[in-house]
Amino acid sequence: MYRSLERSTLVAMRTVTALMTTLSLLGPTIASAQIGGSGSIQGTVVDTSDAAVPGADVTATNNATGIATVRQTTEAGVYAVMPLPPGVYRVRVSLDGFRTFVRDNIVVDALSVVGLNVTLEVGGVTQEVVVTAAAPMLATEDARLGQTIRNEVYTALPLVMNTGGPRDPTAFMFLMPGVQSVGRWGNVMGGQDFTTDMYVEGIPITNAVVQGEGRNLSFGMSVEAIDQFQVETSGTAVMFNGQGASNYVVKSGTNTMRGGGFEYLRNKALDAKAFFATVKPDDNQHEYGATLGGPIRKNRMFFFAAYDGYRDRRQTASVLTSIPTLAEHNG
């Protein structure tokens, strides 16, 4: 009989995903440089006779941060408010001689183009037409197909803490339509394995070593630091490579100070011994961390930081093995 008992200690660390969304200076003049991973609101502004309205001010205000992004309509009445960080916005369209148009609760996701066409009515600027309830807005501005999992869904989904390492923020990608899982790798819409591209805030993290897989992200970023992610399955824009692309958006600070802590523990004290084993091998996993975000200067400057620590101490299980004798070898 042969017993093998090997003891190893693995200390893996995804330390300080001190994601320098920290001090994310999201002022209106600075936000214009943050194009990667942003969305936009686009459309036309006309009057009641369907004539284009040039020079109208279109203001999109982020409900969480209070940051307002202002653009003007062109001679053809066309406008594009961009770049916009993901969030919920209030859009206000105003021009002298017309009633001000206001639309609340417009959800903008990363990489998305939200279409909003506005009809202005003649009247005083102090008069407002406020739209508070409307059908969900459809993505009609381009032919891309894909899906977004937002924070409220992302944080509600169960994520297994197994012996393969810390919790993986890319694990839910394989719940998306058209995405198939092959371990930590996958393909989109039947494409070849290792042909997808992965982005964080619109910035590629793919390289020749981890083409199409998520090790750079899974070992470098806390699950709690992800706000939302997108997977584009077809009709992908030319800025993205490969068959399908996924983009992960990191949380950022808001006008409200928010934080949280977490701890996940697996310990051999909670395990049972194998049938022939006399002792229980070490299988202790411990993942813990915290997040904190808030304002530095209200409506102007914010910070967000996340820490994620992972400790893994394992010991191979006892194995009972029979080794054939020489006579048994010879039949």
Side-chain angles (χ1 to χ4, degrees):
M1 289 222 275
Y2 174 79
R3 281 183 69 189
S4 170
L5 192 62
E6 179 185 354
R7 184 182 184 89
S8 63
T9 303
L10 171 65
V11 180
M13 191 168 66
R14 269 189 321 190
T15 37
V16 196
T17 311
L19 293 166
M20 291 304 188
T21 328
T22 312
L23 302 183
S24 40
L25 307 179
L26 296 178
T29 57
I30 299 174
S32 60
Q34 298 178 353
I35 298 175
S38 61
S40 65
I41 301 174
Q42 301 179 14
T44 59
V45 178
V46 298
D47 59 20
T48 52
S49 65
D50 287 334
V53 178
D57 290 328
V58 182
T59 305
T61 305
N62 189 303
N63 290 354
T65 63
I67 293 176
T69 304
V70 183
R71 300 290 186 267
Q72 285 191 327
T73 56
T74 65
E75 291 296 326
V78 177
Y79 73 90
V81 184
M82 60 185 299
L84 294 176
V88 181
Y89 286 83
R90 175 184 174 95
V91 174
R92 185 175 184 271
V93 183
S94 61
L95 182 66
D96 288 343
F98 293 90
R99 294 180 180 177
T100 299
F101 174 90
V102 178
R103 173 74 179 268
D104 288 319
N105 300 322
I106 297 179
V107 178
V108 177
D109 295 318
L111 310 183
S112 69
V113 179
V114 178
L116 177 62
N117 297 325
V118 177
T119 299
L120 292 182
E121 301 175 0
V122 176
V125 179
T126 56
Q127 296 175 299
E128 288 188 352
V129 177
V130 181
V131 180
T132 56
M137 308 189 74
L138 300 177
T140 59
E141 302 303 312
D142 55 50
R144 293 182 292 175
L145 294 179
Q147 191 172 345
T148 294
I149 291 188
R150 299 187 181 114
N151 181 257
E152 60 271 18
V153 176
Y154 187 85
T155 55
L157 290 172
L159 191 57
V160 175
M161 180 180 176
N162 56 28
T163 57
R167 295 176 306 141
D168 186 355
T170 69
F172 298 140
M173 172 182 172
F174 305 110
L175 299 177
M176 305 295 253
V179 182
Q180 293 180 320
S181 172
V182 185
R184 185 170 281 164
W185 308 275
N187 62 67
V188 176
M189 302 298 285
Q192 292 183 340
D193 295 340
F194 310 108
T195 58
T196 62
D197 263 4
M198 192 167 291
Y199 297 79
V200 176
E201 303 279 359
I203 300 173
I205 62 170
T206 301
N207 56 50
V209 177
V210 291
Q211 174 73 32
E213 55 152 314
R215 278 183 292 182
N216 281 352
L217 183 62
S218 62
F219 287 109
M221 186 173 295
S222 170
V223 172
E224 276 69 21
I226 301 295
D227 182 55
Q228 63 171 231
F229 73 92
Q230 298 79 32
V231 175
E232 293 193 353
T233 54
S234 60
T236 304
V238 294
M239 68 185 76
F240 301 118
N241 298 313
Q243 175 68 36
S246 59
N247 178 72
Y248 291 79
V249 179
V250 181
K251 294 177 182 178
S252 63
T254 66
N255 281 329
T256 303
M257 185 72 72
R258 293 178 179 175
F262 62 92
E263 182 175 7
Y264 298 90
L265 175 65
R266 177 177 179 177
N267 193 281
K268 75 173 184 179
L270 306 176
D271 297 337
K273 291 186 294 186
F275 187 80
F276 292 104
T278 58
V279 296
K280 291 188 288 186
D282 284 339
D283 191 355
N284 303 324
Q285 297 179 68
H286 188 202
E287 186 170 0
Y288 54 92
T291 61
L292 181 65
I296 296 176
R297 182 181 176 189
K298 193 173 182 179
N299 297 335
R300 293 287 295 179
M301 188 181 299
F302 309 90
F303 76 94
F304 175 79
Y307 173 86
D308 194 332
Y310 178 70
R311 301 292 182 270
D312 188 350
R313 187 170 181 233
R314 275 182 259 167
Q315 181 179 355
T316 55
S318 301
V319 177
L320 183 65
T321 304
S322 296
I323 301 177
T325 64
L326 182 61
E328 289 173 334
H329 270 298
N330 294 331

